[in-house]
Amino acid sequence: METQRPLIREVGETAIDRADLAAVAGRGFLGRLTPDLVEQLVQSSHSALYPVGTVLPPAPQGLGPALVLAGRLRFYLSAPDGRQLTVHYAQPGDIIGTVIRDQSHVTARLEVLQPTTLLHLDDEHVKCLVARNVALANAMLDETLERLRAVYRMLAARAFTSVRVRVARDLVELADMSGGLSRGTHLAVTHQSLADATGTVREVVARAIRDMRHESMIATDVDGITILDPTALKRAAGL
């Protein structure tokens, strides 16, 4: 998939949309920071709006890290045969990207799943701020460790669990991000998107979905999947 050009909305240092920032305060990575530290972090930043389907490198636009103000992205790895494996879903309040410049060896990508607004941070400013602020350095370290643990869990699931379990876990995670796993929760997903998320192919996912539908865990329609039995779905996910 080709990377699409974002619709960029530049903002000055004093013109950042405070409503956007206030809406995500206390969520994700930003929940680790004090309001004063957030104010320092977003200096010299600019925002950009990305449409659904945009695929970005791990450090969007080469501008270093960015805060997710709205929307949802998935961080995924791709194989030469075209298969993909989702490592992480990024939501409002999360931080993505890195201050590391040379990423020529990285095969990971970010795909926009919902219209997304990113607040691109100035990487040199972030590096200077981390160097002199222990609280920010600790928050960055905690975030990195949490992501690393998530990757270990993902790799363990990929190596030791069935496709049925992996699909069920992805459905549970998507439901949790959509307001909570409950009867009637509807997820706008396709067999292909679930295959991309779990590192397999569409035909294998279709069999897993069929089995879960026959067991009345879920219902399917042209718009996606509806959760019917949250308890059974969590049990199928091994949770």
Side-chain angles (χ1 to χ4, degrees), residues 82-131:
R83 287 182 300 164
Q84 300 177 4
L85 183 61
T86 297
V87 177
H88 172 69
Y89 289 106
Q91 300 187 84
D94 286 347
I95 189 168
I96 60 175
T98 176
V99 294
I100 299 174
R101 287 288 188 181
D102 182 10
Q103 300 183 79
S104 57
H105 62 290
V106 176
T107 58
R109 292 291 184 269
L110 287 156
E111 180 186 6
V112 176
L113 302 180
Q114 297 176 353
T116 294
T117 301
L118 297 181
L119 185 64
H120 292 279
L121 307 176
D122 182 277
D123 58 347
E124 292 300 325
H125 172 69
V126 172
K127 284 189 284 189
C128 291
L129 193 58
V130 168

mmCIF file of all heavy atoms in Angstrom, residues 82-131:
data_model
loop_
_atom_site.group_PDB
_atom_site.id
_atom_site.type_symbol
_atom_site.label_atom_id
_atom_site.label_comp_id
_atom_site.label_asym_id
_atom_site.label_seq_id
_atom_site.Cartn_x
_atom_site.Cartn_y
_atom_site.Cartn_z
ATOM 1 N N GLY A 82 4.213 -11.108 2.212
ATOM 2 C CA GLY A 82 3.052 -10.244 2.313
ATOM 3 C C GLY A 82 2.282 -10.357 3.609
ATOM 4 O O GLY A 82 1.415 -9.527 3.884
ATOM 5 N N ARG A 83 2.566 -11.378 4.414
ATOM 6 C CA ARG A 83 1.875 -11.500 5.695
ATOM 7 C C ARG A 83 2.306 -10.391 6.638
ATOM 8 O O ARG A 83 3.421 -9.880 6.554
ATOM 9 C CB ARG A 83 2.147 -12.860 6.331
ATOM 10 C CG ARG A 83 1.448 -14.023 5.671
ATOM 11 C CD ARG A 83 1.751 -15.318 6.409
ATOM 12 N NE ARG A 83 3.178 -15.594 6.411
ATOM 13 C CZ ARG A 83 3.775 -16.470 7.222
ATOM 14 N NH1 ARG A 83 3.052 -17.139 8.104
ATOM 15 N NH2 ARG A 83 5.068 -16.679 7.150
ATOM 16 N N GLN A 84 1.403 -10.039 7.547
ATOM 17 C CA GLN A 84 1.675 -8.984 8.521
ATOM 18 C C GLN A 84 1.374 -9.476 9.924
ATOM 19 O O GLN A 84 0.658 -10.456 10.108
ATOM 20 C CB GLN A 84 0.826 -7.747 8.213
ATOM 21 C CG GLN A 84 1.076 -7.156 6.848
ATOM 22 C CD GLN A 84 0.166 -5.991 6.545
ATOM 23 O OE1 GLN A 84 -0.624 -5.558 7.383
ATOM 24 N NE2 GLN A 84 0.249 -5.465 5.327
ATOM 25 N N LEU A 85 1.936 -8.781 10.894
ATOM 26 C CA LEU A 85 1.693 -9.123 12.292
ATOM 27 C C LEU A 85 1.627 -7.836 13.100
ATOM 28 O O LEU A 85 2.588 -7.065 13.149
ATOM 29 C CB LEU A 85 2.816 -10.016 12.836
ATOM 30 C CG LEU A 85 2.662 -10.527 14.271
ATOM 31 C CD1 LEU A 85 1.407 -11.377 14.408
ATOM 32 C CD2 LEU A 85 3.881 -11.346 14.677
ATOM 33 N N THR A 86 0.466 -7.578 13.703
ATOM 34 C CA THR A 86 0.296 -6.370 14.503
ATOM 35 C C THR A 86 1.017 -6.507 15.834
ATOM 36 O O THR A 86 0.840 -7.498 16.544
ATOM 37 C CB THR A 86 -1.198 -6.098 14.754
ATOM 38 O OG1 THR A 86 -1.846 -5.859 13.493
ATOM 39 C CG2 THR A 86 -1.392 -4.882 15.649
ATOM 40 N N VAL A 87 1.816 -5.518 16.169
ATOM 41 C CA VAL A 87 2.574 -5.515 17.419
ATOM 42 C C VAL A 87 1.879 -4.671 18.477
ATOM 43 O O VAL A 87 1.887 -4.990 19.666
ATOM 44 C CB VAL A 87 4.000 -4.983 17.176
ATOM 45 C CG1 VAL A 87 4.786 -4.901 18.479
ATOM 46 C CG2 VAL A 87 4.732 -5.856 16.169
ATOM 47 N N HIS A 88 1.251 -3.575 18.027
ATOM 48 C CA HIS A 88 0.699 -2.627 19.000
ATOM 49 C C HIS A 88 -0.357 -1.768 18.321
ATOM 50 O O HIS A 88 -0.232 -1.429 17.143
ATOM 51 C CB HIS A 88 1.825 -1.738 19.543
ATOM 52 C CG HIS A 88 1.375 -0.612 20.407
ATOM 53 N ND1 HIS A 88 0.835 -0.790 21.654
ATOM 54 C CD2 HIS A 88 1.399 0.740 20.196
ATOM 55 C CE1 HIS A 88 0.534 0.392 22.181
ATOM 56 N NE2 HIS A 88 0.864 1.325 21.321
ATOM 57 N N TYR A 89 -1.417 -1.439 19.066
ATOM 58 C CA TYR A 89 -2.405 -0.460 18.617
ATOM 59 C C TYR A 89 -2.158 0.835 19.379
ATOM 60 O O TYR A 89 -2.089 0.829 20.609
ATOM 61 C CB TYR A 89 -3.826 -0.948 18.888
ATOM 62 C CG TYR A 89 -4.277 -2.097 18.014
ATOM 63 C CD1 TYR A 89 -4.377 -3.389 18.511
ATOM 64 C CD2 TYR A 89 -4.611 -1.880 16.677
ATOM 65 C CE1 TYR A 89 -4.804 -4.438 17.712
ATOM 66 C CE2 TYR A 89 -5.037 -2.922 15.868
ATOM 67 C CZ TYR A 89 -5.125 -4.199 16.390
ATOM 68 O OH TYR A 89 -5.538 -5.227 15.583
ATOM 69 N N ALA A 90 -2.013 1.940 18.643
ATOM 70 C CA ALA A 90 -1.785 3.241 19.262
ATOM 71 C C ALA A 90 -3.083 4.028 19.268
ATOM 72 O O ALA A 90 -3.777 4.125 18.242
ATOM 73 C CB ALA A 90 -0.708 4.015 18.510
ATOM 74 N N GLN A 91 -3.413 4.619 20.424
ATOM 75 C CA GLN A 91 -4.648 5.367 20.624
ATOM 76 C C GLN A 91 -4.335 6.765 21.146
ATOM 77 O O GLN A 91 -3.181 7.075 21.449
ATOM 78 C CB GLN A 91 -5.524 4.632 21.636
ATOM 79 C CG GLN A 91 -5.916 3.227 21.237
ATOM 80 C CD GLN A 91 -6.918 2.673 22.222
ATOM 81 O OE1 GLN A 91 -8.126 2.914 22.114
ATOM 82 N NE2 GLN A 91 -6.432 1.934 23.208
ATOM 83 N N PRO A 92 -5.358 7.628 21.265
ATOM 84 C CA PRO A 92 -5.123 8.978 21.785
ATOM 85 C C PRO A 92 -4.400 8.966 23.124
ATOM 86 O O PRO A 92 -4.744 8.196 24.025
ATOM 87 C CB PRO A 92 -6.547 9.543 21.913
ATOM 88 C CG PRO A 92 -7.301 8.860 20.824
ATOM 89 C CD PRO A 92 -6.754 7.463 20.809
ATOM 90 N N GLY A 93 -3.382 9.826 23.224
ATOM 91 C CA GLY A 93 -2.565 9.898 24.420
ATOM 92 C C GLY A 93 -1.278 9.123 24.309
ATOM 93 O O GLY A 93 -0.343 9.333 25.099
ATOM 94 N N ASP A 94 -1.191 8.221 23.323
ATOM 95 C CA ASP A 94 0.024 7.423 23.142
ATOM 96 C C ASP A 94 1.092 8.229 22.420
ATOM 97 O O ASP A 94 0.807 9.220 21.743
ATOM 98 C CB ASP A 94 -0.279 6.153 22.344
ATOM 99 C CG ASP A 94 -1.024 5.120 23.161
ATOM 100 O OD1 ASP A 94 -1.088 5.267 24.401
ATOM 101 O OD2 ASP A 94 -1.545 4.162 22.560
ATOM 102 N N ILE A 95 2.326 7.758 22.540
ATOM 103 C CA ILE A 95 3.434 8.339 21.797
ATOM 104 C C ILE A 95 3.931 7.298 20.805
ATOM 105 O O ILE A 95 3.959 6.108 21.099
ATOM 106 C CB ILE A 95 4.576 8.794 22.747
ATOM 107 C CG1 ILE A 95 5.628 9.596 21.971
ATOM 108 C CG2 ILE A 95 5.188 7.618 23.497
ATOM 109 C CD1 ILE A 95 6.630 10.312 22.861
ATOM 110 N N ILE A 96 4.276 7.743 19.610
ATOM 111 C CA ILE A 96 4.825 6.859 18.591
ATOM 112 C C ILE A 96 6.092 7.491 18.048
ATOM 113 O O ILE A 96 6.382 8.657 18.297
ATOM 114 C CB ILE A 96 3.828 6.623 17.436
ATOM 115 C CG1 ILE A 96 3.466 7.957 16.766
ATOM 116 C CG2 ILE A 96 2.570 5.941 17.947
ATOM 117 C CD1 ILE A 96 2.585 7.788 15.539
ATOM 118 N N GLY A 97 6.864 6.710 17.301
ATOM 119 C CA GLY A 97 8.076 7.245 16.712
ATOM 120 C C GLY A 97 9.250 7.205 17.666
ATOM 121 O O GLY A 97 9.180 6.691 18.787
ATOM 122 N N THR A 98 10.348 7.766 17.219
ATOM 123 C CA THR A 98 11.603 7.693 17.959
ATOM 124 C C THR A 98 12.487 8.882 17.610
ATOM 125 O O THR A 98 12.265 9.554 16.592
ATOM 126 C CB THR A 98 12.350 6.385 17.613
ATOM 127 O OG1 THR A 98 13.630 6.368 18.261
ATOM 128 C CG2 THR A 98 12.583 6.265 16.119
ATOM 129 N N VAL A 99 13.481 9.123 18.441
ATOM 130 C CA VAL A 99 14.462 10.173 18.139
ATOM 131 C C VAL A 99 15.684 9.587 17.429
ATOM 132 O O VAL A 99 16.614 10.307 17.111
ATOM 133 C CB VAL A 99 14.923 10.899 19.435
ATOM 134 C CG1 VAL A 99 13.763 11.665 20.052
ATOM 135 C CG2 VAL A 99 15.525 9.925 20.436
ATOM 136 N N ILE A 100 15.656 8.260 17.158
ATOM 137 C CA ILE A 100 16.760 7.621 16.456
ATOM 138 C C ILE A 100 16.637 7.917 14.969
ATOM 139 O O ILE A 100 15.610 7.642 14.347
ATOM 140 C CB ILE A 100 16.757 6.096 16.693
ATOM 141 C CG1 ILE A 100 16.923 5.809 18.188
ATOM 142 C CG2 ILE A 100 17.864 5.424 15.892
ATOM 143 C CD1 ILE A 100 16.781 4.341 18.546
ATOM 144 N N ARG A 101 17.683 8.448 14.386
ATOM 145 C CA ARG A 101 17.616 8.895 12.994
ATOM 146 C C ARG A 101 17.711 7.737 11.992
ATOM 147 O O ARG A 101 16.921 7.618 11.074
ATOM 148 C CB ARG A 101 18.761 9.875 12.712
ATOM 149 C CG ARG A 101 18.564 11.228 13.351
ATOM 150 C CD ARG A 101 17.481 12.003 12.638
ATOM 151 N NE ARG A 101 17.397 13.377 13.109
ATOM 152 C CZ ARG A 101 16.527 14.255 12.677
ATOM 153 N NH1 ARG A 101 15.637 13.905 11.768
ATOM 154 N NH2 ARG A 101 16.507 15.479 13.154
ATOM 155 N N ASP A 102 18.714 6.856 12.154
ATOM 156 C CA ASP A 102 18.959 5.803 11.176
ATOM 157 C C ASP A 102 18.049 4.613 11.445
ATOM 158 O O ASP A 102 18.257 3.856 12.371
ATOM 159 C CB ASP A 102 20.423 5.370 11.224
ATOM 160 C CG ASP A 102 20.736 4.306 10.171
ATOM 161 O OD1 ASP A 102 19.871 4.064 9.300
ATOM 162 O OD2 ASP A 102 21.833 3.723 10.217
ATOM 163 N N GLN A 103 17.023 4.450 10.608
ATOM 164 C CA GLN A 103 16.107 3.320 10.752
ATOM 165 C C GLN A 103 16.000 2.536 9.445
ATOM 166 O O GLN A 103 14.987 1.898 9.164
ATOM 167 C CB GLN A 103 14.718 3.818 11.161
ATOM 168 C CG GLN A 103 14.725 4.554 12.481
ATOM 169 C CD GLN A 103 13.321 4.954 12.854
ATOM 170 O OE1 GLN A 103 12.547 4.155 13.343
ATOM 171 N NE2 GLN A 103 12.996 6.199 12.600
ATOM 172 N N SER A 104 17.078 2.542 8.661
ATOM 173 C CA SER A 104 17.045 1.904 7.348
ATOM 174 C C SER A 104 16.824 0.397 7.448
ATOM 175 O O SER A 104 16.360 -0.229 6.487
ATOM 176 C CB SER A 104 18.362 2.185 6.608
ATOM 177 O OG SER A 104 19.470 1.734 7.389
ATOM 178 N N HIS A 105 17.135 -0.196 8.604
ATOM 179 C CA HIS A 105 17.004 -1.638 8.772
ATOM 180 C C HIS A 105 15.634 -2.041 9.322
ATOM 181 O O HIS A 105 15.340 -3.230 9.436
ATOM 182 C CB HIS A 105 18.081 -2.136 9.731
ATOM 183 C CG HIS A 105 17.978 -1.545 11.116
ATOM 184 N ND1 HIS A 105 18.271 -0.224 11.359
ATOM 185 C CD2 HIS A 105 17.574 -2.082 12.301
ATOM 186 C CE1 HIS A 105 18.078 0.023 12.648
ATOM 187 N NE2 HIS A 105 17.649 -1.078 13.234
ATOM 188 N N VAL A 106 14.794 -1.078 9.673
ATOM 189 C CA VAL A 106 13.521 -1.376 10.329
ATOM 190 C C VAL A 106 12.454 -1.675 9.280
ATOM 191 O O VAL A 106 12.300 -0.936 8.312
ATOM 192 C CB VAL A 106 13.077 -0.188 11.209
ATOM 193 C CG1 VAL A 106 11.694 -0.463 11.815
ATOM 194 C CG2 VAL A 106 14.093 0.040 12.321
ATOM 195 N N THR A 107 11.727 -2.800 9.455
ATOM 196 C CA THR A 107 10.676 -3.172 8.516
ATOM 197 C C THR A 107 9.288 -2.904 9.103
ATOM 198 O O THR A 107 8.291 -3.273 8.500
ATOM 199 C CB THR A 107 10.775 -4.667 8.158
ATOM 200 O OG1 THR A 107 10.685 -5.453 9.358
ATOM 201 C CG2 THR A 107 12.089 -4.968 7.462
ATOM 202 N N ALA A 108 9.225 -2.280 10.264
ATOM 203 C CA ALA A 108 7.938 -1.999 10.896
ATOM 204 C C ALA A 108 7.286 -0.788 10.232
ATOM 205 O O ALA A 108 7.958 0.087 9.681
ATOM 206 C CB ALA A 108 8.136 -1.750 12.380
ATOM 207 N N ARG A 109 5.955 -0.755 10.295
ATOM 208 C CA ARG A 109 5.199 0.348 9.734
ATOM 209 C C ARG A 109 4.028 0.694 10.645
ATOM 210 O O ARG A 109 3.644 -0.086 11.521
ATOM 211 C CB ARG A 109 4.665 -0.004 8.340
ATOM 212 C CG ARG A 109 5.738 -0.156 7.267
ATOM 213 C CD ARG A 109 6.378 1.186 6.946
ATOM 214 N NE ARG A 109 7.341 1.084 5.866
ATOM 215 C CZ ARG A 109 8.630 0.848 6.043
ATOM 216 N NH1 ARG A 109 9.096 0.676 7.258
ATOM 217 N NH2 ARG A 109 9.446 0.789 5.005
ATOM 218 N N LEU A 110 3.454 1.862 10.427
ATOM 219 C CA LEU A 110 2.246 2.300 11.120
ATOM 220 C C LEU A 110 1.149 2.482 10.091
ATOM 221 O O LEU A 110 1.349 3.154 9.072
ATOM 222 C CB LEU A 110 2.497 3.629 11.846
ATOM 223 C CG LEU A 110 3.354 3.584 13.108
ATOM 224 C CD1 LEU A 110 3.984 4.948 13.356
ATOM 225 C CD2 LEU A 110 2.524 3.156 14.305
ATOM 226 N N GLU A 111 -0.019 1.884 10.347
ATOM 227 C CA GLU A 111 -1.162 2.053 9.457
ATOM 228 C C GLU A 111 -2.281 2.774 10.194
ATOM 229 O O GLU A 111 -2.625 2.420 11.317
ATOM 230 C CB GLU A 111 -1.678 0.702 8.968
ATOM 231 C CG GLU A 111 -2.880 0.827 8.038
ATOM 232 C CD GLU A 111 -3.489 -0.507 7.661
ATOM 233 O OE1 GLU A 111 -3.056 -1.541 8.214
ATOM 234 O OE2 GLU A 111 -4.393 -0.515 6.820
ATOM 235 N N VAL A 112 -2.837 3.780 9.552
ATOM 236 C CA VAL A 112 -3.930 4.547 10.138
ATOM 237 C C VAL A 112 -5.238 3.766 9.968
ATOM 238 O O VAL A 112 -5.666 3.497 8.843
ATOM 239 C CB VAL A 112 -4.045 5.934 9.475
ATOM 240 C CG1 VAL A 112 -5.238 6.698 10.026
ATOM 241 C CG2 VAL A 112 -2.761 6.732 9.693
ATOM 242 N N LEU A 113 -5.879 3.409 11.091
ATOM 243 C CA LEU A 113 -7.124 2.645 11.073
ATOM 244 C C LEU A 113 -8.354 3.540 11.165
ATOM 245 O O LEU A 113 -9.431 3.167 10.704
ATOM 246 C CB LEU A 113 -7.139 1.638 12.225
ATOM 247 C CG LEU A 113 -5.993 0.629 12.263
ATOM 248 C CD1 LEU A 113 -6.159 -0.300 13.453
ATOM 249 C CD2 LEU A 113 -5.919 -0.163 10.962
ATOM 250 N N GLN A 114 -8.198 4.701 11.798
ATOM 251 C CA GLN A 114 -9.251 5.699 11.897
ATOM 252 C C GLN A 114 -8.620 7.047 11.580
ATOM 253 O O GLN A 114 -7.415 7.221 11.777
ATOM 254 C CB GLN A 114 -9.853 5.734 13.310
ATOM 255 C CG GLN A 114 -10.528 4.452 13.742
ATOM 256 C CD GLN A 114 -11.010 4.512 15.181
ATOM 257 O OE1 GLN A 114 -10.729 5.465 15.910
ATOM 258 N NE2 GLN A 114 -11.724 3.488 15.607
ATOM 259 N N PRO A 115 -9.375 8.011 11.061
ATOM 260 C CA PRO A 115 -8.792 9.335 10.816
ATOM 261 C C PRO A 115 -8.012 9.788 12.052
ATOM 262 O O PRO A 115 -8.552 9.828 13.153
ATOM 263 C CB PRO A 115 -10.017 10.220 10.551
ATOM 264 C CG PRO A 115 -11.025 9.266 9.989
ATOM 265 C CD PRO A 115 -10.823 7.978 10.747
ATOM 266 N N THR A 116 -6.754 10.116 11.852
ATOM 267 C CA THR A 116 -5.836 10.313 12.983
ATOM 268 C C THR A 116 -5.158 11.676 12.935
ATOM 269 O O THR A 116 -4.683 12.097 11.882
ATOM 270 C CB THR A 116 -4.760 9.206 12.982
ATOM 271 O OG1 THR A 116 -5.390 7.946 13.239
ATOM 272 C CG2 THR A 116 -3.698 9.464 14.042
ATOM 273 N N THR A 117 -5.126 12.331 14.077
ATOM 274 C CA THR A 117 -4.373 13.569 14.229
ATOM 275 C C THR A 117 -3.136 13.290 15.077
ATOM 276 O O THR A 117 -3.241 12.796 16.201
ATOM 277 C CB THR A 117 -5.205 14.663 14.905
ATOM 278 O OG1 THR A 117 -6.373 14.916 14.121
ATOM 279 C CG2 THR A 117 -4.402 15.957 15.031
ATOM 280 N N LEU A 118 -1.977 13.585 14.522
ATOM 281 C CA LEU A 118 -0.713 13.426 15.236
ATOM 282 C C LEU A 118 -0.119 14.791 15.528
ATOM 283 O O LEU A 118 -0.143 15.689 14.678
ATOM 284 C CB LEU A 118 0.292 12.618 14.409
ATOM 285 C CG LEU A 118 -0.058 11.175 14.066
ATOM 286 C CD1 LEU A 118 1.071 10.540 13.261
ATOM 287 C CD2 LEU A 118 -0.339 10.367 15.326
ATOM 288 N N LEU A 119 0.415 14.938 16.724
ATOM 289 C CA LEU A 119 1.159 16.137 17.086
ATOM 290 C C LEU A 119 2.633 15.773 17.008
ATOM 291 O O LEU A 119 3.168 15.090 17.878
ATOM 292 C CB LEU A 119 0.793 16.609 18.494
ATOM 293 C CG LEU A 119 1.430 17.928 18.939
ATOM 294 C CD1 LEU A 119 0.943 19.079 18.061
ATOM 295 C CD2 LEU A 119 1.113 18.214 20.399
ATOM 296 N N HIS A 120 3.278 16.184 15.921
ATOM 297 C CA HIS A 120 4.680 15.850 15.699
ATOM 298 C C HIS A 120 5.573 16.709 16.592
ATOM 299 O O HIS A 120 5.506 17.943 16.546
ATOM 300 C CB HIS A 120 5.041 16.064 14.228
ATOM 301 C CG HIS A 120 4.382 15.088 13.303
ATOM 302 N ND1 HIS A 120 4.862 13.813 13.107
ATOM 303 C CD2 HIS A 120 3.258 15.194 12.550
ATOM 304 C CE1 HIS A 120 4.077 13.173 12.256
ATOM 305 N NE2 HIS A 120 3.096 13.991 11.910
ATOM 306 N N LEU A 121 6.397 16.048 17.372
ATOM 307 C CA LEU A 121 7.295 16.744 18.293
ATOM 308 C C LEU A 121 8.642 16.992 17.627
ATOM 309 O O LEU A 121 9.047 16.260 16.726
ATOM 310 C CB LEU A 121 7.489 15.905 19.568
ATOM 311 C CG LEU A 121 6.205 15.466 20.283
ATOM 312 C CD1 LEU A 121 6.546 14.568 21.468
ATOM 313 C CD2 LEU A 121 5.400 16.673 20.742
ATOM 314 N N ASP A 122 9.328 18.002 18.090
ATOM 315 C CA ASP A 122 10.659 18.307 17.587
ATOM 316 C C ASP A 122 11.655 17.386 18.266
ATOM 317 O O ASP A 122 11.828 17.445 19.490
ATOM 318 C CB ASP A 122 10.996 19.774 17.876
ATOM 319 C CG ASP A 122 12.362 20.168 17.341
ATOM 320 O OD1 ASP A 122 13.362 19.903 18.035
ATOM 321 O OD2 ASP A 122 12.414 20.721 16.239
ATOM 322 N N ASP A 123 12.307 16.490 17.498
ATOM 323 C CA ASP A 123 13.150 15.466 18.120
ATOM 324 C C ASP A 123 14.339 16.046 18.874
ATOM 325 O O ASP A 123 14.720 15.539 19.936
ATOM 326 C CB ASP A 123 13.590 14.410 17.113
ATOM 327 C CG ASP A 123 14.358 14.988 15.942
ATOM 328 O OD1 ASP A 123 14.357 16.219 15.767
ATOM 329 O OD2 ASP A 123 14.944 14.190 15.184
ATOM 330 N N GLU A 124 14.933 17.113 18.355
ATOM 331 C CA GLU A 124 16.066 17.709 19.073
ATOM 332 C C GLU A 124 15.607 18.306 20.396
ATOM 333 O O GLU A 124 16.289 18.187 21.424
ATOM 334 C CB GLU A 124 16.733 18.775 18.201
ATOM 335 C CG GLU A 124 17.440 18.223 16.978
ATOM 336 C CD GLU A 124 18.544 17.239 17.354
ATOM 337 O OE1 GLU A 124 19.200 17.441 18.395
ATOM 338 O OE2 GLU A 124 18.743 16.270 16.598
ATOM 339 N N HIS A 125 14.450 18.927 20.379
ATOM 340 C CA HIS A 125 13.888 19.483 21.623
ATOM 341 C C HIS A 125 13.593 18.363 22.613
ATOM 342 O O HIS A 125 13.884 18.489 23.812
ATOM 343 C CB HIS A 125 12.611 20.263 21.308
ATOM 344 C CG HIS A 125 11.858 20.706 22.522
ATOM 345 N ND1 HIS A 125 12.325 21.682 23.391
ATOM 346 C CD2 HIS A 125 10.658 20.290 23.036
ATOM 347 C CE1 HIS A 125 11.463 21.844 24.380
ATOM 348 N NE2 HIS A 125 10.438 21.023 24.181
ATOM 349 N N VAL A 126 13.022 17.241 22.124
ATOM 350 C CA VAL A 126 12.712 16.113 23.005
ATOM 351 C C VAL A 126 13.982 15.540 23.616
ATOM 352 O O VAL A 126 14.037 15.249 24.816
ATOM 353 C CB VAL A 126 11.932 15.021 22.232
ATOM 354 C CG1 VAL A 126 11.781 13.756 23.094
ATOM 355 C CG2 VAL A 126 10.567 15.532 21.828
ATOM 356 N N LYS A 127 15.024 15.375 22.799
ATOM 357 C CA LYS A 127 16.283 14.824 23.320
ATOM 358 C C LYS A 127 16.885 15.724 24.394
ATOM 359 O O LYS A 127 17.372 15.243 25.419
ATOM 360 C CB LYS A 127 17.275 14.613 22.173
ATOM 361 C CG LYS A 127 16.953 13.395 21.324
ATOM 362 C CD LYS A 127 18.049 13.066 20.342
ATOM 363 C CE LYS A 127 18.070 13.997 19.174
ATOM 364 N NZ LYS A 127 19.017 13.547 18.105
ATOM 365 N N CYS A 128 16.850 17.012 24.176
ATOM 366 C CA CYS A 128 17.367 17.950 25.181
ATOM 367 C C CYS A 128 16.530 17.899 26.455
ATOM 368 O O CYS A 128 17.070 17.929 27.568
ATOM 369 C CB CYS A 128 17.382 19.372 24.615
ATOM 370 S SG CYS A 128 18.593 19.650 23.307
ATOM 371 N N LEU A 129 15.228 17.811 26.294
ATOM 372 C CA LEU A 129 14.337 17.764 27.449
ATOM 373 C C LEU A 129 14.548 16.482 28.251
ATOM 374 O O LEU A 129 14.577 16.512 29.487
ATOM 375 C CB LEU A 129 12.890 17.866 26.970
ATOM 376 C CG LEU A 129 11.814 18.133 28.040
ATOM 377 C CD1 LEU A 129 12.112 19.433 28.786
ATOM 378 C CD2 LEU A 129 10.441 18.203 27.385
ATOM 379 N N VAL A 130 14.714 15.355 27.562
ATOM 380 C CA VAL A 130 14.968 14.080 28.245
ATOM 381 C C VAL A 130 16.284 14.130 29.016
ATOM 382 O O VAL A 130 16.386 13.615 30.126
ATOM 383 C CB VAL A 130 14.984 12.920 27.225
ATOM 384 C CG1 VAL A 130 15.542 11.648 27.860
ATOM 385 C CG2 VAL A 130 13.593 12.661 26.684
ATOM 386 N N ALA A 131 17.287 14.791 28.413
ATOM 387 C CA ALA A 131 18.608 14.842 29.034
ATOM 388 C C ALA A 131 18.606 15.596 30.359
ATOM 389 O O ALA A 131 19.400 15.293 31.255
ATOM 390 C CB ALA A 131 19.611 15.477 28.074
#
